[in-house]
Amino acid sequence: MGYTTGIEKGSDITVEPIRKTKDIKAISKLLDSNPRNYLLWIMGINNGLRASDLVRLKFSQVASLKVGDAVKIIETKTGKENFLVINKLVHKALQNYVEKVEPEPDDYLFKSRKGGSHISSHTVGKLIRSWASSINLDGKYGSHTLRKTWGYHQRANHGASFELICKRYNHSSPAITMRYLGIEDKEVCKMLMNEIG
């Protein structure tokens, strides 16, 4: 039974967000001693950008940014303009990264250990699966987990609308965003228990 989602075949639509705050904190603690991976994690779950766009960031693009600043990027998948915003957590992770890694302006933030290029989205997926496994988290995780975790928590904990999350994701409609975030039947049933009148 086929329906089109507007998301290309093979994308990680079936990958889950990390829903529990305690699991997010556990992964943050796990990555505390690895400045590159910690920055990838914090930047990913705080911005909602695709891993393929995060890994292409160079130090020169973010070096002088302060809390509240934004840098424009062009999405590799869509060619649309988007932006990375520096909130307090991202800024702190970035400062820690700079102190420990001492990157050159032309260095990729998420450098590959092989050569001078950046890690791939595939590698990001492997990293996330290993982090989830390290804290005994069951489920299907991958590179889109960062992006989905951002959207899930914006909606569940900060009350962001699907329309706003849709705009951030550069999706063509909120219906795609709802499917992308994996709105489950049990969530709809829970909502129906809310009493009116």
Side-chain angles (χ1 to χ4, degrees):
M1 178 126 138
Y3 62 85
T4 56
T5 62
I7 297 170
E8 69 188 35
K9 189 178 176 191
S11 74
D12 285 329
I13 195 162
T14 55
V15 166
E16 297 174 57
I18 294 176
R19 293 177 174 88
K20 293 181 180 168
T21 305
K22 73 175 181 69
D23 294 330
I24 289 175
K25 288 185 187 304
I27 291 175
S28 294
K29 191 174 179 193
L30 176 76
L31 302 178
D32 200 34
S33 61
N34 186 319
R36 183 200 74 175
N37 289 354
Y38 181 73
L39 180 61
L40 174 67
W41 167 247
I42 292 297
M43 204 175 257
I45 65 173
N46 279 276
N47 263 283
L49 293 171
R50 288 182 186 85
S52 57
D53 295 321
L54 283 176
V55 297
R56 283 176 171 75
L57 287 168
K58 290 198 168 184
F59 179 58
S60 58
Q61 291 176 271
V62 298
S64 62
L65 297 180
K66 297 181 283 303
V67 174
D69 287 349
V71 62
K72 281 185 187 174
I73 62 157
I74 301 298
E75 294 183 344
T76 48
K77 181 179 174 182
T78 65
K80 294 177 184 174
E81 196 175 85
N82 210 325
F83 49 90
L84 169 88
V85 174
I86 305 297
N87 68 14
K88 285 181 186 173
L89 263 179
V90 172
H91 188 262
K92 193 174 171 187
L94 195 52
Q95 292 307 110
N96 177 56
Y97 173 89
V98 171
E99 282 171 29
K100 300 210 167 101
V101 177
E102 299 178 350
E104 296 295 324
D106 213 36
D107 284 351
Y108 286 105
L109 281 180
F110 309 111
K111 259 173 45 172
S112 170
R113 293 196 175 90
K114 304 165 197 158
S117 190
H118 56 76
I119 60 175
S120 66
S121 296
H122 179 71
T123 299
V124 173
K126 279 169 61 176
L127 285 169
I128 291 164
R129 283 188 290 279
S130 76
W131 304 337
S133 174
S134 292
I135 65 160
N136 298 314
L137 192 58
D138 289 329
K140 188 173 180 190
Y141 303 103
S143 64
H144 280 244
T145 292
L146 296 174
R147 186 167 154 87
K148 287 187 175 192
T149 298
W150 173 84
Y152 177 86
H153 286 276
Q154 287 299 332
R155 188 180 65 84
N157 299 329
H158 300 291
S161 68
F162 280 114
E163 289 77 11
L164 202 55
I165 296 169
C166 172
K167 181 168 173 51
R168 174 58 178 151
Y169 280 157
N170 266 337
H171 284 163
S172 56
S173 83
I176 293 169
T177 304
M178 286 176 75
R179 280 197 294 272
Y180 184 79
L181 289 178
I183 303 310
E184 299 168 334
D185 287 345
K186 66 180 179 186
E187 192 172 334
V188 174
C189 290
K190 187 178 173 189
M191 177 191 69
L192 292 170
M193 289 303 291
N194 294 338
E195 296 175 3
I196 300 167

